[in-house]
Amino acid sequence: METVAVIVQDGFAPFEFGLACEAFGLDRSDDGIPNFDFRIVAAEPGLIRSNMSFSITVEHDLAFADEADLVVVTPVPRASWGAIDPRIAAVIQRAVDRDAWVLSVCSGSFVLAASGVLDGRRATTHWRYAATMAEMHPEISVDPDVLYVQDGRVITSAGTAAGLDACLHLLRQELGPEATNQIARRMVVPPQRDGGQAQFIAHPLPVASHSLAPVADWMVENLDRDLSVDQLAARAHMSARTFARRFKADFGATPAAWLGRQRILHAQRLLERTDWGLDRIADECGFGSAAVLRQNFARTLGTTPTAYRARFACVEEDAPLSIAG
């Protein structure tokens, strides 16, 4: 992917438009990440009004979108959901026909729906509008419980910040996990947020400022051990009940659930960065056996460790194995 076009229309949402610019338009060459030929386009170049009482000047027409490797569609006012500019609809249809990436942010999915490219596909949008989309477009399988949906090379995202999750998901497929994690760190966001469906983007290890952070750090450093709540509570100098209550308040999950997620994250990193066998990875992460690793991996991410490695491995041939950050 080398070229990116972001389509804006009158009444566009600044935040959703801005996150597309942040994800694909920022110069990150100092970090060794390739830049995209990024342009903002409109059916009629010139002043394009936002929904926040200001306008932007767009210099490019839709011709660039007809050549772009990725076409991003930003949200439009609700009044236009049922009828979009036929020139924009045609550009989106042609992008799908030539197998370019097409990504909508939030209610931008209604633009894709009106263009007909979501017919027969799974899609999502902001949860507040999911029922409306399903009613307006019964030919679309609308999933209101996810951050984003990829169906072929068409990606639709849920509300607002979920658009950034979708952008990172696409970047991971194009640039790989290491570059995407680097982009996410620069934006000070996690490469993936948990949603209704598992997404294949590795979390960085959490940076916590809570009183239990030292215990959490120790847990991450000792994933291969059998860590009980009683043992962890003793380390925190608390009763087991107090520790469990405080941990959930600080981290948003029970100690067991949080620990299980960290083990999965570590397994993801090892699958990406090493060629170790599943038994060794299972031991390293505290699962005990490859069978238990597979079971937890499938339950959490909806795929197998082998399939995950085939998709996201970033070990170069003849490179020394390393899991250092």
Side-chain angles (χ1 to χ4, degrees):
M1 190 172 76
E2 298 179 351
T3 52
V4 179
V6 177
I7 299 176
V8 291
Q9 304 172 69
D10 277 337
F12 73 91
F15 183 89
E16 288 81 354
F17 165 72
L19 68 84
C21 295
E22 174 78 14
F24 303 109
L26 193 64
D27 183 349
R28 297 187 175 92
S29 56
D30 288 347
D31 295 329
I33 297 172
N35 291 326
F36 300 112
D37 183 352
F38 174 88
R39 304 183 198 181
I40 301 161
V41 303
E44 295 289 344
L47 285 180
I48 305 295
R49 295 178 291 105
S50 75
N51 64 3
M52 298 290 287
S53 302
F54 69 86
S55 301
I56 63 172
T57 301
V58 177
E59 300 177 357
H60 303 286
D61 62 19
L62 295 175
F64 180 76
D66 257 329
E67 302 174 355
D69 300 318
L70 165 64
V71 176
V72 181
V73 180
T74 56
V76 294
R78 186 166 187 158
S80 63
W81 286 356
I84 64 171
D85 189 315
R87 293 169 293 180
I88 293 176
V91 164
I92 294 170
Q93 291 164 359
R94 289 193 294 267
V96 172
D97 290 342
R98 61 186 171 84
D99 207 28
W101 285 105
V102 175
L103 184 152
S104 67
V105 181
C106 193
S107 61
S109 55
F110 282 86
V111 178
L112 302 192
S115 73
V117 301
L118 295 183
D119 291 359
R121 297 181 185 266
R122 282 184 65 239
T124 194
T125 190
H126 193 294
W127 59 267
R128 293 183 63 186
Y129 312 137
T132 301
M133 174 172 279
E135 182 178 354
M136 291 177 63
H137 302 279
E139 64 278 7
I140 300 172
S141 177
V142 181
D143 189 340
D145 299 323
V146 295
L147 296 177
Y148 56 86
V149 169
Q150 177 180 339
D151 190 317
R153 292 173 70 86
V154 178
I155 300 175
T156 53
S157 71
T160 314
L164 187 55
D165 296 302
C167 292
L168 289 170
H169 174 69
L170 173 54
L171 285 169
R172 177 160 190 159
Q173 295 180 72
E174 289 292 326
L175 300 181
E178 294 293 335
T180 303
N181 286 352
Q182 193 171 2
I183 292 170
R185 284 194 296 270
R186 180 164 172 173
M187 289 191 288
V188 200
V189 297
Q192 177 224 345
R193 293 182 299 141
D194 288 332
Q197 71 175 11
Q199 314 296 350
F200 304 148
I201 302 176
H203 289 260
L205 290 176
V207 178
S209 59
H210 330 89
S211 61
L212 294 178
V215 177
D217 290 341
W218 183 83
M219 292 167 68
V220 169
E221 293 168 0
N222 293 273
L223 293 175
D224 58 331
R225 300 177 60 171
D226 183 12
L227 303 177
S228 67
V229 171
D230 287 339
Q231 180 184 6
L232 298 171
R235 193 170 189 86
H237 306 291
M238 299 177 182
S239 70
R241 179 175 296 182
T242 299
F243 173 80
R245 183 176 67 251
R246 287 279 300 277
F247 193 96
K248 186 171 184 178
D250 280 359
F251 290 89
T254 65
W258 189 88
L259 180 62
R261 185 58 179 156
Q262 301 314 306
R263 285 175 166 150
I264 287 291
L265 295 174
H266 191 39
Q268 287 178 271
R269 283 188 291 274
L270 293 177
L271 288 165
E272 292 169 6
R273 304 179 189 182
T274 78
D275 62 0
W276 294 355
L278 294 187
D279 284 322
R280 182 175 179 183
I281 291 176
D283 287 339
E284 179 75 18
C285 298
F287 289 113
S289 71
V292 176
L293 168 62
R294 291 189 190 95
Q295 183 182 35
N296 282 270
F297 215 84
R299 183 173 63 246
T300 304
L301 298 179
T303 189
T304 66
T306 301
Y308 182 90
R309 169 173 273 165
R311 187 173 185 182
F312 294 125
C314 53
V315 178
E316 297 180 1
E317 290 187 11
D318 302 324
L321 298 183
S322 173
I323 59 171

